[in-house]
Amino acid sequence: MLAYTLRRIAQLVPVLLVLSVAVFAFVEALPGSIIDTLVGTEGGDIEEARAILTKEYGLDRPVHERYVLWLGRALQGDFGKSLVTRRPISTELLSRIPATVYLATVGIVLSMVIAVPLGTFAAVRRNSAVDYTAQVTSLAGISIPEFWFAILCVLLFSLYLGWLPSSGYVSPFEDFWGSLQFLILPAAAIGFRQAAFTTRLTRSSMLDELSKEYVDTARALGHSERKVIFKYTLRNAMIPTITISGLQLANLLGGTVVLESIFAWPGIGRAIFEAILQRDYPLIQAGVLVLGCIVVVMNLLVDLTYRLLNPRVKFA
């Protein structure tokens, strides 16, 4: 286990290096220039200001030198300063990441709480009312766009019923119960759609495991149906479910831009979206690189979870 973990960590190095090259090259290829954003097109002494800023940001150097300098600073946690707020980018991202992690984690946990029991009972009670309900509900969840469901939640629970606030954010460390009021709607919007995918996957995995010989053997040995289902079958069936949920969490950490905008949630996805609109190139580079690192690390954690769920899994 330790040797496998060390090998996987070593394999992350070239992946992250390629990611950094791709992020830097993508931002370099964007139309326009940082200097255009800072200087503008009107006013006096534009050329002198452009020359000063070009030297300050190192744009007078070859692109490969700029990349090496940028990567070296990034490895030290220094991504430079935001062109808009003039604050250190590391500070900007660190202030946004907790909100995104909070929302994405609660959304995934909510989806698992709904999907795993529903998918399990749908497989055990195949072709029953529970099974049909699970399939119809999951199909509806997959078909309904996430942003549309979020808007419906705002209209129903905030505008018409007035039960919950439509937008905003409160840190759970400042006011836990108050933060839940702002969390419920965006977490439900995330969890409902993710639960739809996870329910179908759990049901399919359970049906596959229930058809295997070890299930018949366990029943023949006199084990109770509850023990066969929850101790043996479900544990094996959870491996693909954990895989998808881990990847969903990684995607949500950088893919909740629309929901964060709808609910005015101050997350990292919204920060990157605003940076794109404002052409804040250093923040775009840093944000995408951080999100890419999160996705890569989450993939590693998902692989390591296999062993905990099923000791028969052998690491190559």
Side-chain angles (χ1 to χ4, degrees):
M1 179 71 172
L2 179 59
Y4 173 80
T5 303
L6 294 177
R7 285 198 302 269
R8 284 300 310 272
I9 293 176
Q11 292 171 2
L12 296 184
V13 176
V15 173
L16 294 176
L17 183 61
V18 172
L19 174 64
S20 68
V21 173
V23 170
F24 186 84
F26 173 75
V27 175
E28 284 289 320
L30 290 176
S33 170
I34 295 177
I35 307 303
D36 295 334
T37 304
L38 294 175
V39 176
T41 58
E42 299 180 358
D45 299 328
I46 292 180
E47 293 303 323
E48 181 179 354
R50 290 179 64 89
I52 294 174
L53 291 173
T54 298
K55 185 174 182 179
E56 178 182 347
Y57 284 93
L59 297 179
D60 55 339
R61 300 183 180 184
V63 63
H64 64 277
E65 290 186 12
R66 298 204 304 272
Y67 167 73
V68 172
L69 291 174
W70 172 76
L71 181 61
R73 291 194 298 265
L75 291 176
Q76 301 174 32
D78 179 13
F79 296 102
K81 292 184 178 180
S82 168
L83 302 182
V84 177
T85 64
R86 307 303 300 172
R87 296 175 58 196
I89 292 176
S90 56
T91 303
E92 291 278 350
L93 294 179
L94 287 176
S95 65
R96 299 279 192 140
I97 288 177
T100 295
V101 172
Y102 182 41
L103 175 60
T105 302
V106 174
I108 286 295
V109 171
L110 179 62
S111 71
M112 294 286 287
V113 169
I114 297 173
V116 173
L118 187 59
T120 301
F121 286 115
V124 174
R125 300 286 187 266
R126 188 177 184 181
N127 296 329
S128 66
V130 175
D131 186 19
Y132 293 136
T133 301
Q135 293 190 60
V136 171
T137 303
S138 61
L139 181 60
I142 294 173
S143 304
I144 296 176
E146 204 169 54
F147 72 90
W148 187 74
F149 182 73
I151 293 174
L152 287 183
C153 288
V154 171
L155 290 175
L156 177 60
F157 296 104
S158 180
L159 183 60
Y160 295 148
L161 299 178
W163 291 353
L164 296 167
S166 61
S167 62
Y169 170 76
V170 173
S171 172
F173 299 104
E174 297 177 0
D175 182 3
F176 179 75
W177 296 111
S179 69
L180 291 181
Q181 297 180 8
F182 294 96
L183 175 68
I184 291 176
L185 288 183
I190 290 176
F192 179 69
R193 183 170 178 81
Q194 303 304 324
F197 291 100
T198 309
T199 297
R200 295 177 69 88
L201 180 61
T202 303
R203 177 182 179 275
S204 176
S205 300
M206 281 294 296
L207 289 175
D208 183 56
E209 292 296 326
L210 288 171
S211 64
K212 294 183 177 179
E213 294 182 355
Y214 77 87
V215 176
D216 296 331
T217 303
R219 288 169 175 164
L221 291 174
H223 294 297
S224 65
E225 189 68 13
R226 179 183 296 271
K227 185 176 182 179
V228 171
I229 296 299
F230 293 102
K231 184 176 181 180
Y232 301 116
T233 312
L234 181 59
R235 186 171 183 177
N236 293 330
M238 282 295 293
I239 292 180
T241 300
I242 290 295
T243 303
I244 295 300
S245 297
L247 297 177
Q248 286 176 340
L249 177 59
N251 291 332
L252 287 175
L253 292 175
T256 57
V257 178
V258 175
L259 290 182
E260 288 179 356
S261 299
I262 292 175
F263 294 103
W265 194 267
I268 189 173
R270 186 182 177 197
I272 295 176
F273 178 70
E274 293 174 348
I276 293 174
L277 295 179
Q278 298 167 344
R279 301 174 75 176
D280 194 346
Y281 298 126
L283 181 55
I284 298 172
Q285 285 179 322
V288 175
L289 181 63
V290 169
L291 293 180
C293 292
I294 291 175
V295 172
V296 171
V297 172
M298 284 300 302
N299 280 323
L300 173 62
L301 296 178
V302 167
D303 289 344
L304 297 179
T305 306
Y306 288 169
R307 182 71 174 181
L308 300 177
L309 291 174
N310 190 350
R312 294 178 302 171
V313 174
K314 301 297 182 181
F315 292 120

